[in-house]
Every structure is written in C-alpha cells, then in structure tokens.
Amino acid sequence: MRFGCVFTIILFGLVISGKAEIYIVTVEGEPIVSYRGGVDGFEATALESDDDDKLDSTSEVVASYARHLEKRHDMLLGMLFESGTYDKLYSYRHLINGFAVDLSAEQAETLRHAPGVKSIERDWKVKRLTTHTPQFLGLPTGVWPTGGGHDRAGEDIVIGFVDSGIYPHHPSFTTYNTEPYGPVSRYTGKCEVDPDTKRSFCNGKIIGAQHFARAAIAAGAFNPIVDFASPLDGDGHGSHTASIAAGRNGIPVRMHGHEFGKASGMAPRARIAVYKALYRLFGGFVADVVAAIDQAVHDGVDILSLSVGPNSPPSNTKTTFLNPFDATLLGAVKAGVFVAQAAGNGGPFPKSLVSYSPWIATVAAAIDDRRYKNHLILGNGKIIAGIGLSPSTRLNKTYTLVAANDVLLDSSVMKYSPTDCQRPEVLNKNLIKGNILLCGYSYNFVIGSASIKKVSETAKALGAVGFVLCVENVSPGAKFDPVPVGLPGILIIDVSKSKELIDYYNISTPRDWTGRVKSFKGTGKIEDGLMPILHKSAPQVALFSARGPNIKDFSFQEADLLKPDILAPGSLIWGAWSLNGTDEPNYVGEGFAMISGTSMAAPHIAGIAALIKQKHPHWSPAAIKSALMTTSTTLDRAGNPILAQQYSETEAMNLVRATPFDYGSGHVNPRAALDPGLIFDAGYKDYLGFLCTTPGIDVHEIKNYTNSPCNNSIGHPSNLNTPSITVSHLVRTRIVTRTVTNVADEEETYVITARMQPAVAIDVNPGAMTIKAGASRKFSVTLTVRSVTGTYSFGEVLMKGSRGHKVRIPVLANGYTR
C-alpha cells in the first residue's frame, strides 16, 4: 500500500521534459543471493555462506522470487511515471536488488525521494584495460599433469568473460580434433545465434554467449554496423583475454609466414562463457556490465575474468568499495564465484589502481622473460639497436637508405605527415624500389591513426627491401612494442640512436643548393629480429601496471588493505584475435595479436584459478585467492628481488626494487598454489566487518548496498582475514590477528617468523603451532612504531611447515606520532 501515497504526491509532475540519462537504482528487499525468506508466498533463496553447493538458478523457488522482484521494480516505476516517459533497461535480481532506467534528471530526483529507494547513481563508463607464458609459469610440467595433462586441465570449470565478445571460429576456441565436450549441468547460460549466419555462438568449448548493450543503445553510443548486436567480437580484446585463460593447447601462432610458437590458455580444457558488454569505440557502461555480471553468476560460472575498470567514479560516490559495480561483485563472491580483475594501466604512479575491494583478486602486470630486439648495421660499421619482429635483409648485402621526406612526389603533400609512411601514393616508387625506406615516428602512432603494419605495407607496395622507423622525440603516452611484420623492419626507440642514424644519413647524402638530394650514398642492413632473447631478470613489474597504495575513498585516503593482490604476465602476450578486431591497428585482419596491459594479466589468474578450482572444487573464492597469494614469489628467475619499471627524474625509464604496492604478494607460482598448505579464508560476513570498521564509511550506505546491519566484530579493518597485513596509520602499537586453516591431508607443524624494515618493530605469537588437517588456528602480529619516516615500512610473516609447505604474507605499516 505504501506506493499509493507516492502516486498521489507526484501526480502533478508526470509529464517531464529534460535530457534523459541512465541511472542505476537499488531498492529495499534482498536479492536472490541473500534472501532468507520473510515475504509471504516466497521461500528463501540464499545459501548458508559455508554451504559447498551453489544456488540452483533453475529452481522454481528462485524463478518465482526473481519474477516478484522484477514486478516490484515495474510497479515502482509505473506508479511514479507515465508510460513512455522512461525506459527500464534491466532488472537486477540476483546479486543486487535494483534496476537500470533511462529517465530525465527531474524524474531521477523524484525517484531518489521515493519510499523504498535506497540509492540512485548516474551510469558511468568503463574501459578495456588493455603463447609463451604457460612454459614461463611452469604449467606443462608442474601443474597440468596433476589434473590429467593439458587434455584435462580445467575440465568442466566455467570461466565467464565480461569483455568485448568472442570470435568463435578462431582455432583457440574450436572443437576440431578435440575430445568432445559434454554438457555441464550446473551451467544454465544461453547461446545467442549469429543474426547473419543463424549459427549458434556456442560449440561445447564456448558454452554460453550473450551480449548486453541496452545502456549503450539508450546513451546513443551503440553502432550495430561496427559494434555488432551479438556476442561477436568487433574489437579483438575479448577473444584475446578468453584465449589467455582458456584457449586450446598447442595452437600455432603464424603471421607473415613465420611461426612464433604455440599458443595455449592457462586452463586449456576450461569452458568459456561470453558476456559481451564492451564495445570497440566507447568501451562500455556500468549498467550493461552489472547486467552481464548478474547474468553470469545466475547462469552458474565458476570464475569471472574482468579486464575492465571504471573511467572515473560517479560524482556522488565517496567510497571505493561501495557502488553498484563493487556491490555486484560482492554478491558474486557470496555466490561462490572467484573474481579476477585487472589492476588498471595508470602506472607507474601511486594510487593509480581501478580495483579496490577485498573480495576481488586485483592483478598487476609483469614483463616475462621474452625480449624482442633487432639491429640496423650502417655502412660505417655502427650498430643501431631497436625492436622489430621481422626477418633480416639478405645476408652479407647492404642496401641504400632513402628517407621518405626526400622522395615526395609533391611537396604540397606535407599536410599528410608523409614521413610516417602511411600513404604510398605520395612517395616516389622509382627512388624507393630495392632500397631501405626511412620513416619518422609521429604523434599519429600514439593516437592510433598511424601503424607500423601500414608502414610495412607502404614499403612493400613501393618495392622497398625493408624499412626503418625513427623515434626523434618521445610523445606522452608513447608505447613501443615490437610488431610482427613480413618485411625486414626495425623501430629505433632510443632518441640518441635515431640521431646517430639521421646524422649518418645526412653526412652520406649530398644535396644541391635547394636541398634536393643529388644521390643517396648511405647504406645499411637489417638483422633478424624474429627470435626472442630469454632474460633471467624476469619477471619485472611493467611500467604501465597500476600501483598502490589502495584508497578507501575518492579523496584518496589510504585503506588498511593491500592492493594489488598479485602479479601475472601482462606484457607482449600472444593471444587470439578477431578478424574484425580494431583495438590494435597493427593487428587489423590478423588471427593473433601480441599486446600488453593488466587486461592480459587478469585472465592468467582467472585460468590458474580454474586449475585450483578443478583440484579443490569446494574451496571458497577467498581460499583460492589465498593459495595464489601465499605461494607467490618476490624473486626473479635469477634469484634476485623483483624489479619494477619506473620513471626517473628525466622521464627516462629505469628499474627500481619493487614493493608490495607494485606486485601485491608477488608473482604467481601456479605449481605451489595447487598445494598451499594453509589458507586464509574469509566470507561475506568478514567483508561486511571490513566495511563496517573502515573509518569514514557511512553505516547507512553499507546497509543500502548489502541489505545487512553493521557487524564490528573484527574491531579494525586490518583484522580482515586476508593473506596480507596493511596498517595505513600506525600509532604506537597495533595487534593484528589472522586465522589459518590447514588444507593439506595431514597434520603439520609451522614455525612462524617475521621481519620488517627498521622503522617498525614486528613480533608474532605464537612462534610455532601444530595444526591438524582441516583445523584452524589463530596467530597475532604486533606492530610498533620505532621511528616516524613519513613512508611505509615493508616486511613479511613467513610460516615454514614440517612437511615442506611455505606460507608467506606481506606486511605494510606507515608510522605516525598520533
């Protein structure tokens, strides 16, 4: 009856003008994941948090309550507004109770004050956070055999990808020459049909495929010609991330007649469930992404891989952990789904993360041990280093060097930036044929309107034997990755080396008084750049990988929680590509792409989590995350501390010793993660306790998003049972507690030691403990300020087991006088 009074109050304002926008609204009442009964006629749908079984989304009990929630959403809108003045896009029923609606600002204000409405936020945009790694991570020899080899690695585990869709015909996803995939009864997701071919996007390997674009369409951003109103990947990014986590094993990576190796996902037998909510030109909208996550969890995915992050927080959001996106992911974890999210590409600057919450595994990006280098040898004997995934010019033969700006057909074409060699029609073929073409790296390469692929095509069209691309000044945002090309080619990324080449060319090239070239006398040859050099200094933290400290609000106040959580390969990663893909101009029309980003790191963790889930099907998301973190390494292949790429004062890149703000607990070690010995487990009530004890978070805001009263039992947010300890504001002494559970088959005795940088004293109690299989024990860590330095002190707690298990957690504290 309460809606009746609302109806009479606002009857006068039904016809409302004004620009419509999309809003995400949450309302009173429990979503399916946490409804424990209480509404007449509807049985409870929530599982107990310690129940191993997943929610049966197909049951009539769930379906009936879902219909009830949607009816309530429709009733609320129908009583407030005249039909046709608003457009409800989605009803969210599984993880949060609410809806997305397209309406005017005036209507939004009316809705904000309506009884039963808990929060209303304007929709905001998200962006994509844009091989050899299985061997680098030790999967073929150390992990896959324990799961029955690559033929069984990830069997029947369903990984959901909220991304730009999939190219289903790619060899990484086909079922040709594989053992048939049987049904997975617990997964109920649907498969859309290609509107053009009328063929299903699913094939057994791809087990579900849906797209979500209602918010994008309502915002006027969606173009069906390039974005495709189907799960088809119009970008490339979604196919790439899916192949990293779950692509088939042993797929040859061939480009320009060369095989760069065999590609494989982390869990090659895992199933792929596609939830397309990202699009090539504009990224995506939170309303669509939340709908995709809500559907994925309802369908029964085991793992969620999110290579997506918000562009910026909505204007009225204060807390990083409480918004429709993070609240939906909290619901997903409550439903037993492990979530891996990319940390973001805003590095190497502090507080640049876009993934904040303790229930999410936040993944930073590492450079692995492959480096692609190439060399240009000049006629004077000088060797110029550069990068280029290309074949060499003919052995023992040198070729004449010809600069693009010296062979223009018409000087009036200068307005087209002809020196970046994107337009063969403006250059003189007769002077270029049989020679090496010299081009300039302009700002057009940074913004994506020029590409190395096009330079290669231009050089080939003009009959050049190869090309050199010189970087004369570094533009902000420039990212120099090697690109596979069929023609001999090299990119000179060191400005001083480019100057050496240009000086040699100018000295060797006589000109008349007008500046026109009389003859080209400079010569050179390009070496072979197709073979990678394997470095023992790997892994390193990539320059672009977002850094901590983590923040609890958008005033950038620091949180008592470490982020990122873990480091995984994310630089120069080979993966499947969509033939329609345009995300990277250098790979348009190709079947594979080698790209970088924390977008590539997150699916590595999603795939490895699938292998852990396969071996330990009843582990919680927190247990899987704990196993990944406590067994990770802070040493590189040579046994030295991991280094991080960083900017120096001159803006040149250098390497510094990495800290937990760069890599979290360390670089993933899949073999050890399958058998961690101990785990730090946590669940929904623990996360609620973290929120309730974090200073500055409004208790009403917590209730709005979680439907739960506050629970302060943990006392302080640093007591959340995570496999890391962070105290952002340590005054005098703080005692932090942790609980570990023995997940090994036998009793084990652990000796516990701790060490810390000198500004903070650390002590652990007890110093040793024996834990029976399946049992849990508490220990405490005491941190005391010795001196105030204005910076964090780093340390660790190490637990060594009598049966060989090693459990390590990072400790961080910043000391203050008060």
Side-chain angles (χ1 to χ4, degrees), residues 338-379:
F338 175 88
V339 181
Q341 186 188 11
N345 294 343
F349 307 106
K351 301 185 182 180
S352 50
L353 296 152
V354 298
S355 176
Y356 316 100
S357 296
W359 45 89
I360 299 166
T362 300
V363 190
I367 294 168
D368 69 13
D369 57 353
R370 275 175 311 133
R371 309 282 194 279
Y372 288 98
K373 291 196 173 168
N374 205 348
H375 296 90
L376 170 70
I377 301 176
L378 301 178

Side-chain angles (χ1 to χ4, degrees), residues 14 25 27 94 99 118 188 204 489 529 604 631 633-634 701 754:
L14 288 177
V25 184
V27 294
H94 306 107
F99 51 86
K118 297 199 302 187
T188 59
H604 278 94
T631 58
T633 178
T634 57
E701 198 181 354

